[in-house]
Amino acid sequence: MSQVEVKVPDIGDYKDVPVIEVLVKAGDVVAVDQTLITLESDKASMDVPSSKAGMVKEVRVKVGDTVSAGSLIVVVEEGAAAPAPAPAAAPAPAAPAAGKVVEVKVPDIGDYKDVPVIEVLVKAGDVIKADQTIATLESDKASMDVPAPKAGTVKEVKVKVGDSVSEGRLLILLEAGANAAAPAAVPAAAAPAPAPAAPATAPAAKPAAAASASVTPAGRAHASPSVRKFARELGVDVSKVPGTGQKGRITQSDVQNFVKGVMTGAAPAAAASGGGELNLLPWPKIDFSKFGPIETKPLSRIQKLSAANLARNWVMIPAVTYHEDADITDLEALRQQLNAENQKSGVKVTMLAFLIKASVVALKKFSAFNSSLDGDNLVLKQYYNIGFAADTPNGLVVPVIKNADKKGVIEIANETSELAGLARDGKLKGDQMQGATFTISSLGGIGGTGFAPIVNAPEVAILGVSKSATKPVWDGKAFQPRLIMPLSLTADHRVIDGALATRFNAYIAQLVGDFRRAAL
């Protein structure tokens, strides 16, 4: 039997991607395409499958490590099968420790500190098994499950949802081995079947109940943290999603297919919308080649990532679009004057920079627009981060100007130019596209007279800008040629009613009409 090295395959332009989950250990028997580890970058998450079948001899990575294409993951002995009795011996050491209360702390999670707890999956009195997830953590860049190091009974839970934890923080007090006589431990004891036994039972379980096959004995769906985060962002209860991966594991594709089913009426919508079903006709399946020549092109990575978010926002946000015309004749003259004065320094002030500054002033006056819905609460933000849609060869992305209220128009113009360049080159970092409180989508450089932009959740409004045009405007005595810029504001009607939206839009028009007001 030969030993082979399994490495990270080609993952595109991603480098130094954190490992957030290691799903195998030495002695496990793995099949081809079985997931070995889960990676999550600032922009995407991915499962890394095994390219070989056999027994894992050595695992070369751990949670918190960063890997790139070609990084060694595991060493596999091809064709090897694990001895039947060997896995059963693993839980044995827990028995002598029965009755001893141990502290379960946050393990080594790399450089991450003060990571929010988003799920606590156990409570006092629960009987748990070794490696059962007790809490889920999620930072801006990654999410991770924290497993129990041994079996036992939970005596006390020391954290709650919303707490921030770092390595070494106490999570629970566990009476090790205390599940030996507990009736509730029967299903849990049967669950930690060794890896070799799973292939024999998984095929039988899936046909009987696809959804339940993807749920752990603790009642929690079997999915990686990145998949859970993806499901939460779509408003999907992951426990309702049938898993098709190894041992019924839920994959990102499973979540996407579930959402597609909801959108087409093929799956219950209760998990996403809170009740009822979408009784829509199935999506038509058509062989377009019957009507003429066709070319099939895959969606870009950006389009794939955006599709589900846009569909969720469009379906779940009761949005209304309001239109306003802004007279920017004087502002355009000022913009051209500033660019002429700063021509040698290379500074180029855009209308977008003025709009960002005007938006900040309007957000301070109308605070509801700088908020997010959180259940029955409205979170009013005291910071002003403005996103702007940037056109790239692979699709639209939204870079964010952080703390725009503390920056001048010229500084904002320089930053938007720099971020737009990074976006076109595909070099934007994840944190450069996060944290926006309000977004501007400007099509002024292309054309159009108006459109209805989609609100970018969890924001509650977005401002669309179309191409400016010179129009005759009556000044009380005669028609004067004025440069008019169309504004299209889409707002979440649950937070912002029509009167408030119209006032906000009119105020933006007033600010860009006489930018001196922005200094008041």
Side-chain angles (χ1 to χ4, degrees), residues 8-17 39 46 48 67-70:
V8 176
D10 182 7
I11 53 175
D13 296 329
Y14 295 102
K15 294 181 180 179
D16 299 325
V17 185
L39 311 180
M46 62 204 82
V48 178
V67 298
S68 304

Side-chain angles (χ1 to χ4, degrees), residues 416-436:
T416 55
S417 177
E418 179 183 348
L419 290 173
L422 291 173
R424 287 190 294 271
D425 296 337
K427 296 180 179 180
L428 272 179
K429 298 178 181 178
D431 61 358
Q432 293 174 314
M433 296 186 289
Q434 296 174 345

Side-chain angles (χ1 to χ4, degrees), residues 470-490:
T470 300
K471 297 181 178 181
V473 176
W474 182 256
D475 66 359
K477 296 181 180 179
F479 284 102
Q480 303 293 339
R482 307 294 292 179
L483 186 62
I484 305 299
M485 179 173 66
L487 302 177
S488 302
L489 176 74
T490 300

Side-chain angles (χ1 to χ4, degrees), residues 435-462:
T437 61
F438 184 77
T439 296
I440 298 174
S441 179
S442 177
L443 300 177
I446 302 173
T449 58
F451 64 106
I454 299 175
V455 175
N456 187 23
E459 298 161 38
V460 296
I462 180 172

Side-chain angles (χ1 to χ4, degrees), residues 151-407:
T153 300
V154 178
K155 303 300 290 182
E156 188 176 355
V157 178
K158 294 289 190 177
V159 293
K160 63 182 183 299
V161 172
D163 287 352
S164 295
V165 300
S166 303
E167 179 183 346
R169 168 71 181 270
L170 179 61
L171 297 176
I172 64 171
L173 295 179
L174 180 70
E175 186 175 354
N179 61 332
V186 174
T201 59
K206 280 186 184 178
S212 62
S214 63
V215 179
T216 64
R220 187 167 190 259
H222 190 40
S224 71
S226 56
V227 171
R228 293 181 183 285
K229 179 180 178 183
F230 180 68
R232 284 195 302 275
E233 289 174 345
L234 298 182
V236 172
D237 181 352
V238 76
S239 68
K240 307 295 184 184
V241 180
T244 62
Q246 293 286 332
K247 305 179 187 178
R249 188 174 191 80
I250 298 168
T251 66
Q252 183 167 315
S253 295
D254 293 330
V255 177
Q256 289 174 323
N257 290 335
F258 181 81
V259 172
K260 290 177 183 177
V262 171
M263 297 292 291
T264 60
S273 62
E277 294 187 359
L278 295 178
N279 297 314
L280 304 179
L281 293 174
W283 194 263
K285 300 290 185 181
I286 300 173
D287 180 8
F288 298 103
S289 62
K290 294 190 302 184
F291 308 110
I294 65 171
E295 178 186 2
T296 301
K297 296 174 63 177
L299 291 173
S300 69
R301 180 176 58 83
I302 291 175
Q303 289 172 320
K304 289 179 181 178
L305 293 173
S306 300
N309 286 334
L310 291 170
R312 174 202 60 188
N313 296 348
W314 177 256
V315 170
M316 299 188 69
I317 297 176
V320 181
T321 301
Y322 308 85
H323 301 282
E324 185 72 45
D325 284 343
D327 185 340
I328 61 166
T329 308
D330 296 337
L331 186 59
E332 174 61 15
L334 173 61
R335 188 186 73 83
Q336 293 183 11
Q337 179 183 341
L338 290 174
N339 286 340
E341 292 173 356
N342 294 279
Q343 186 173 10
K344 292 183 179 179
S345 63
V347 173
K348 186 176 181 181
V349 178
T350 62
M351 189 58 65
L352 175 62
F354 285 112
L355 282 167
I356 289 174
K357 197 64 180 177
S359 295
V360 169
V361 176
L363 292 173
K364 288 184 176 182
K365 182 177 177 68
F366 300 94
S367 58
F369 287 81
N370 204 53
S371 69
S372 289
L373 267 177
D374 182 14
D376 292 331
N377 297 319
L378 191 63
V379 180
L380 297 167
K381 302 161 192 173
Q382 307 301 317
Y383 55 93
Y384 302 88
N385 298 341
I386 311 299
F388 65 96
D391 189 18
T392 77
N394 294 316
L396 287 176
V397 295
V398 184
V400 179
I401 303 293
K402 303 290 178 63
N403 300 313
D405 57 316
K406 299 176 183 178
K407 298 173 181 177

Side-chain angles (χ1 to χ4, degrees), residues 119-143:
E119 286 182 292
V120 178
L121 301 162
V122 296
K123 62 183 183 299
D126 282 357
V127 177
I128 62 176
K129 60 187 181 67
D131 295 329
Q132 180 175 328
T133 299
I134 58 178
T136 301
L137 316 179
E138 183 173 276
S139 70
D140 291 337
K141 298 182 179 179
S143 56

